Structure formats: C-alpha cells, structure tokens
C-alpha cells in the first residue's frame, strides 16, 4: 500500500476534479506494475496499473488508495476492468464517498468472486485525498493558507522589504509542494511589492520552469485594479486568473486580458472603514465549480485576514524564521477584523512540526467547530448571569 500511496502523492494537482489515486499490482510479494490517475477524461489508477501489468495481472493482488469506481462516467468502471483482468484480490485504503460508488465498487468485486479488503493505509489516503473529500462533501476546494513570519510575527521589515523572511530550505519545500495544487492565490499588494512569478520549480527554485512539471493556476485577488501589465505573474506559459470587482477600471481589465490573463469579476463585501474587498467566499465557490480540489493562498495579510474572518481556511502552514524584525508598523501575516477577545481566537488542532533548515514549519487545522461550541457556551453563561 505504501507504493500505491506514493503514486497517489505524485498524481496530486493533475487529476481534478477526479481524486489523485495510486494503484499497484503485486504478484508473489513483488510490485510488478504501478499506476496513477491521469488527467480528467483519461484512465484511472487501477486501469493504468493493469495496463502496465498485462497478462501478469491474472491471479495477482491489486492495491489502491480509493475504492474502485463502479459507474460509467468519462471512463468505464474500474470494477469491470478488474474483473476482466482476473485479479485475485483488491485492497483499497478508503471508501469513495462519491454517490455512484460509495460501497458499490466493493460489493461488485465481491460478487464477482474477488477477495476485497478495505482500510489499509486509510489515514494516509485520507490526508492525500483531503481536497477531493471536502469537494465531495461541500462542493468547495480545500483552502490552505501559507505564510512565513519572523519570531515577532512580521512578514516584512518596516520598509515593506520581505526578501527573504525564511531560508532556502523553506523555499525548496514550497516549490516541492506547488505541483500538487490546483491553484495558488496572492493579493494585489503581494504582486506590487514582491512581483512573484508564482510557478512550481521543484527541481531548482532558481532555475527555469520545467515544462514536464504541473503548474497550478496563478490567481491574483485585485479588487480595484492595481496589478501592472508587466507583472511577472502575467508572464510565461502558466495560466493566470485575475479576480476583481466592478470597482476596477474596465480599461485595466482589458489590459489584463490582453496580457493573457482570464479576468473574473466577482461581488465585493465591506472591509474595514469604507473600503470594499472582493468576496472571497464567491471566489472559493467559483473554484469549486471549476472542479478544483486544493487551493493555496499565500498572502498578504489583508487577504489571509479576510479568509479567516469568513471562516474559509481548512489548513495552515506557518513557517517561523529565527529572526526579530521589531518594527512597530511592519506587516503581520494575518490582518482582517480578527478576534476582539482571546476566547474568540480560533485554535489549531492536529498540529505537526517540521524543521526546514533553520526555520520551523507548523501545520494545523483551524478548529471552527470548537470555537462555535465555546462561543455558544459563553453566550449561555452570559445569559444565565444576566438573569440573576
């Protein structure tokens, strides 16, 4: 199953809206063939592994990270292919919640006399398929937030200079993660100040873009039209989407289209004071409609603050660098309305800690349910106190 999980990991970002599944064929204790789900409309992982195995699949055991499909969508059902191939057994990690599968694949294989086992590698597969599982449940992609900050919570110096907060190992880690994404999102201020290319270069962050590496969609959230026409995020072969509002100038929107970007006009919502910002809920819903499974938001602070204020965040990658900035006016990684009291601050669960050279990576999941429960409990206590 570990070999199948490796194939699943390698397929991330390339299969949406299908899940990134991995499969291997095992004969007499040896992996004789591997497969991973191809881009939507092409073969699933089980079929790819069976093709590679050929006649040797008969009497062999197949391991896959998700229950084999039992319906005819863009491709024929994997269960039929497995039955025709004559495999002896199928072991899958996780039941597929897709309504047309959801146990039917398991049942059809057993009815054909194939030995079926479920649950091996379930936790690992659930992690790898987190975007697909959320999309099946809600129609929305998994929203991941990433930022790098100093020990005193700054993402730039007082002048705005942010090159570089974190070290080279963090940069390498970030580029290794990017091919597994459907999209990467930054705010217009990040484009104006840092002018990122926002591409995936896992082999060498300083090198050229490898045409064989999957490139996520690059998205700029630009409510009022600040992105310059010569921005690096508009250059190169990687696709770019500019999400804006009706407050931006029509001529600027045409300039973005001429530069090769798709321009998406979305509703706005009130920000601090009299300012209006793009409605990030509308953006996330649109990305879900497009079949995206995992989307990374990289900042800046206003963008990430809005995500937290709207409770859109599913996962946080916070890199803490061993430096002290000390500037009172230096920007912080998460702005927005935030919490007025510490008891209203969302806590992270499922914390994982990893060293990236001299930096430390904290990964966790915002526990919105626990925050709701705590706020409801406090409200009940306040009502009881008022009645006295």
């Amino acid at each position: 199953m570990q070999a199948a999980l490796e194939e699943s990991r390698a397929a991330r970002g390339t299969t949406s809206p299908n899940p990134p599944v991995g499969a291997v064929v095992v004969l007499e204790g040896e992996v004789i063939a591997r497969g991973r789900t191809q881009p939507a409309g092409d073969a699933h992982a089980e079929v790819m592994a069976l093709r590679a195995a050929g006649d040797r699949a008969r009497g062999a055991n197949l391991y896959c990270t998700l229950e084999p499909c039992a319906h005819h969508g863009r491709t024929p059902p994997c269960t039929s292919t497995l039955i025709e191939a004559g495999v002896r057994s199928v072991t899958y990690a996780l039941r597929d919640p897709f309504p047309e599968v959801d146990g039917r694949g398991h049942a059809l294989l057993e009815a054909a006399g194939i030995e079926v086992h479920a649950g091996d590698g379930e936790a690992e597969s659930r992690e790898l398929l987190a975007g697909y599982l959320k999309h099946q449940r809600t129609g929305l992609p998994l929203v991941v937030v990433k930022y790098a900050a100093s020990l005193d919570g700054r993402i730039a110096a007082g002048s705005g200079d942010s090159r570089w907060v974190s070290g080279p190992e963090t940069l390498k880690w970030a580029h290794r993660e990017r091919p597994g994404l459907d999209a990467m999102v930054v705010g217009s201020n990040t484009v104006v100040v840092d002018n990122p290319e926002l591409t995936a270069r896992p082999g060498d962050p300083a090198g050229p873009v490898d045409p064989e590496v999957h490139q996520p969609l690059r998205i700029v959230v630009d409510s009022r039209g600040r992105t310059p026409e010569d921005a690096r995020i508009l250059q190169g072969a990687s696709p770019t989407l500019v999400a804006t509002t009706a407050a931006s100038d029509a001529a600027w929107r045409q300039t973005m289209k001429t530069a090769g970007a798709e321009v998406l006009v979305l509703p706005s919502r009130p920000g601090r004071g009299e300012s209006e910002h793009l409605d990030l809920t509308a953006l996330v819903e649109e990305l879900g409609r497009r079949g995206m499974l995992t989307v990374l938001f990289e900042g800046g602070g206003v963008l990430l603050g809005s995500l937290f204020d709207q409770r859109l965040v599913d996962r946080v990658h916070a890199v803490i660098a061993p430096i002290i900035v000390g500037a009172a006016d230096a920007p912080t990684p998460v702005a927005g309305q935030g919490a007025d009291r510490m008891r209203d601050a969302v806590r992270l669960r499922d914390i994982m800690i990893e060293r990236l050279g001299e930096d430390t990576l904290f990964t966790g999941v915002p526990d919105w349910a626990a925050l709701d429960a705590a706020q409801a409990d406090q409200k009940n206590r306040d009502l009881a106190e008022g009645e006295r």
Side-chain angles (χ1 to χ4, degrees):
M1 185 59 75
Q2 289 304 313
L5 290 166
E6 290 173 7
E7 294 297 319
S8 172
R9 189 172 292 107
R12 290 182 305 163
T14 66
T15 65
S16 303
N18 292 337
V21 178
V24 297
V25 179
V26 177
L27 184 63
E28 297 179 353
E30 178 186 355
V31 174
I32 62 169
R34 293 170 175 254
R36 67 187 67 151
T37 301
Q38 300 301 294
D42 209 336
H44 293 184
E46 300 92 321
V47 173
M48 294 298 294
L50 291 172
R51 285 178 184 173
D55 292 340
R56 293 191 297 169
R58 188 162 299 277
N61 307 304
L62 183 131
Y63 292 78
C64 53
T65 57
L66 189 68
E67 179 185 8
C69 69
H71 66 293
H72 201 301
R74 297 181 183 180
T75 60
C78 290
T79 48
S80 298
T81 307
L82 287 162
I83 293 168
E84 291 169 6
V87 298
R88 186 184 70 82
S89 73
V90 171
T91 300
Y92 65 87
L94 188 66
R95 183 164 172 161
D96 190 344
F98 185 64
E100 294 188 58
V101 185
D102 199 16
R104 288 187 63 233
H106 186 124
L108 285 171
L109 292 172
E110 281 193 330
I114 296 174
E115 189 178 317
V116 184
H117 305 279
D120 181 18
E122 179 177 354
E124 296 95 328
S125 185
R126 189 175 296 278
E127 174 69 17
L128 288 169
L129 301 178
Y132 170 72
L133 296 175
K134 185 193 175 185
H135 194 270
Q136 283 297 308
R137 189 173 67 252
T138 66
L140 304 175
L142 189 79
V143 173
V144 184
V145 159
K146 181 185 83 65
Y147 62 82
S150 63
L151 278 171
D152 55 340
R154 301 290 188 265
I155 59 173
S159 66
D161 173 45
S162 59
R163 296 291 183 96
W164 294 93
V165 175
S166 53
E169 292 304 316
T170 293
L171 184 62
K172 292 177 183 177
W173 166 80
H175 276 274
R176 288 195 301 269
E177 291 293 307
R178 286 179 176 182
L181 304 168
D182 290 295
M184 296 184 289
V185 189
V186 294
S188 59
N189 192 59
T190 297
V191 172
V192 171
V193 174
D194 293 340
N195 196 20
E197 186 177 359
L198 219 65
T199 53
R201 298 182 296 258
D204 179 6
V209 173
D210 184 346
E212 299 298 318
V213 172
H214 167 69
Q215 295 297 324
L217 176 67
R218 302 178 293 186
I219 301 177
V220 183
V221 174
D222 191 343
S223 300
R224 297 188 174 276
R226 301 178 61 213
T227 300
E229 60 183 306
D230 61 349
R232 295 177 68 204
I233 202 168
L234 300 173
Q235 300 170 8
S238 301
T240 302
L241 183 149
V242 176
T244 188
T245 69
S248 65
D249 186 73
W252 170 83
R253 295 199 293 268
Q254 184 56 50
T255 299
M256 293 295 100
K257 293 178 183 178
T258 302
E262 177 189 355
V263 176
L264 178 66
V265 179
L266 292 171
S268 60
R269 61 185 293 153
R272 282 186 174 273
E274 298 180 357
S275 64
E276 295 260 332
H277 296 296
L278 184 143
D279 187 343
L280 293 177
T281 298
L283 174 60
V284 171
E285 289 174 347
E286 172 61 23
L287 299 181
R289 281 191 291 271
R290 295 184 180 208
M292 294 189 180
L293 303 183
T294 305
V295 177
L296 176 70
F297 286 76
E298 287 202 344
V302 173
L303 177 65
L304 300 192
S306 296
L307 283 171
F308 276 99
D309 286 345
Q310 295 176 50
R311 295 193 173 192
L312 294 171
V313 181
D314 298 304
R315 184 171 299 174
V316 177
H317 293 308
V319 176
I320 307 302
I323 57 174
I324 302 293
V325 174
D329 296 331
T332 59
V334 181
Q337 181 177 350
D340 288 331
R341 297 165 294 182
M342 288 304 297
R343 70 188 186 199
D344 295 323
V346 64
R347 290 187 175 273
L348 302 186
R349 58 175 174 80
D350 302 336
I351 300 294
M352 294 185 293
I353 301 174
E354 180 182 351
R355 290 295 300 271
L356 299 173
E358 294 183 346
D359 302 329
T360 304
L361 168 64
F362 292 83
T363 298
V365 175
D367 199 338
W368 300 114
L371 178 59
D372 284 338
Q375 289 176 334
D377 184 60
Q378 182 63 47
K379 183 178 180 179
N380 290 334
R381 287 201 298 268
D382 291 343
L383 289 173
E385 184 67 24
E387 290 174 356
R388 294 192 187 116

